[in-house]
Amino acid sequence: MSDLNISAIICTHNRDTYLGAAIDSLLDQSDCPDYEVIVVDNGSTDTTKAVVEARSPHPRLRYVWEPTLGLSVARNTGANASEAPLLAYLDDDAVATPTWLSCLCRAFEDNDTLAIAGGKVTLIWAEGMSQPPWLSDDMAGCLGRYDLGEEVCLIENPGLTPRGLNYCIRHDFLNQIGGFDPNLGRVGKKLLSNEELYMTEKALHLGWQVAYLPDALVGHNVAPERVNRSWFLQRGWWQGVSECYREQLAGKAGSKQLLRGGERIARGLYKSLKFVRDPAQRFENLVYAYGQIGYLGSAVEGMLFPPKDLPGDRPNTTS
């Protein structure tokens, strides 16, 4: 295993409907001979294990069980199972193009200071479905859409960081920062996020680079149950919670969060009224305002019950 260039890792929890296609897309990679595929089963209770076992004769494929729920926990488990210098994470409901891994490998081989890279993500709509008129392109990013154009570029604004569903990280860098932070990232039905944004902030602060690679293309299946306004409102609320946690981890907690949250609610409501005749922009700003309720609630909770697990105190969670 020490001769591997890259480990492709799928962290999955009860997504057996899409998982097989995700695995098959990784087993069918071209121009990348030295790679493996690791499936981290994060406490699934469906037929996930059977989906993997049906493909287990393939010499590249490995199955790892992780009972503790949490995307960041599962990602760290996948990293610990790998001895490759590069870790490429693909979501369990995504499909990689045949040259995905080779594109990622070339980028890291050409740049020793590259810590994180990710590629373009297009949306795969279920049969008979398309983007509804109330959903803006920016809001489609909540479904995984990610497109910064057709040219390779370095990311200097953490808000433009690559999507976690199409994400590659240098193993040495991940070890340097102690792994993915379990305070961020999805846990079961809790739609926590911002873990990639936080990783980009850490990388840039430490002098590493982060890149967007348009040719490292992945398609992401849109689950039909997500194409409704209530899911986006819930997603926005958890985005606010995640942003609050990220600020706490960065040492930016305190009363100023209450002011920031209040200003953001007012801004979102104002813009939703301003774009009252534009259903997509109106809804986008309403979701933004709603998300700040989650942000403020978490800020108050953090002030009353400060988190014990502060930056610098967390143990190294990767090997």
Side-chain angles (χ1 to χ4, degrees), residues 30-51:
S30 61
D31 301 324
C32 188
D34 299 321
Y35 77 95
E36 66 177 347
V37 178
I38 300 174
V39 177
V40 180
D41 186 347
N42 192 201
S44 297
T45 56
D46 59 4
T47 64
T48 287
K49 188 174 183 180
V51 170

Side-chain angles (χ1 to χ4, degrees), residues 255-294:
S255 59
K256 289 184 177 180
Q257 287 185 304
L258 303 181
L259 180 60
R260 285 196 292 268
E263 290 176 342
R264 291 169 182 169
I265 288 178
R267 187 186 314 131
L269 291 176
Y270 168 75
K271 288 187 175 180
S272 66
L273 292 173
K274 179 181 178 180
F275 295 105
V276 66
R277 297 186 179 181
D278 184 332
Q281 288 297 314
R282 181 178 70 240
F283 184 64
E284 177 181 330
N285 284 286
L286 182 62
V287 169
Y288 175 80
Y290 185 74
Q292 302 313 307
I293 299 175

Side-chain angles (χ1 to χ4, degrees), residues 123-234:
L123 299 182
I124 304 172
W125 295 92
E127 185 176 356
M129 296 188 69
S130 60
Q131 186 167 325
W134 50 264
L135 183 63
S136 67
D137 285 343
D138 284 344
M139 283 295 292
C142 294
L143 298 174
R145 182 181 179 275
Y146 180 64
D147 186 351
L148 299 184
E150 302 304 320
E151 300 295 329
V152 174
C153 64
L154 294 178
I155 304 297
E156 298 180 354
N157 176 4
L160 298 177
T161 194
R163 294 286 185 265
L165 68 95
N166 177 356
Y167 192 82
C168 190
I169 189 166
R170 195 179 293 273
H171 210 157
D172 285 347
F173 166 70
L174 188 63
N175 289 337
Q176 179 185 2
I177 64 172
F180 290 94
D181 196 303
N183 291 290
L184 297 170
R186 183 166 182 167
V187 180
K189 293 184 179 180
K190 295 181 178 180
L191 304 179
L192 291 166
S193 58
N194 275 14
E195 65 271 32
E196 292 89 20
L197 189 154
Y198 182 63
M199 299 293 273
T200 291
E201 288 181 330
K202 295 278 284 186
L204 297 178
H205 177 72
L206 293 170
W208 291 88
Q209 291 185 331
V210 180
Y212 164 74
L213 311 173
D215 292 337
L217 178 64
V218 160
H220 188 235
N221 285 286
V222 177
E225 62 270 18
R226 293 184 177 182
V227 190
N228 63 74
R229 291 176 175 85
S230 62
W231 185 88
F232 281 91
L233 287 168
Q234 181 189 32

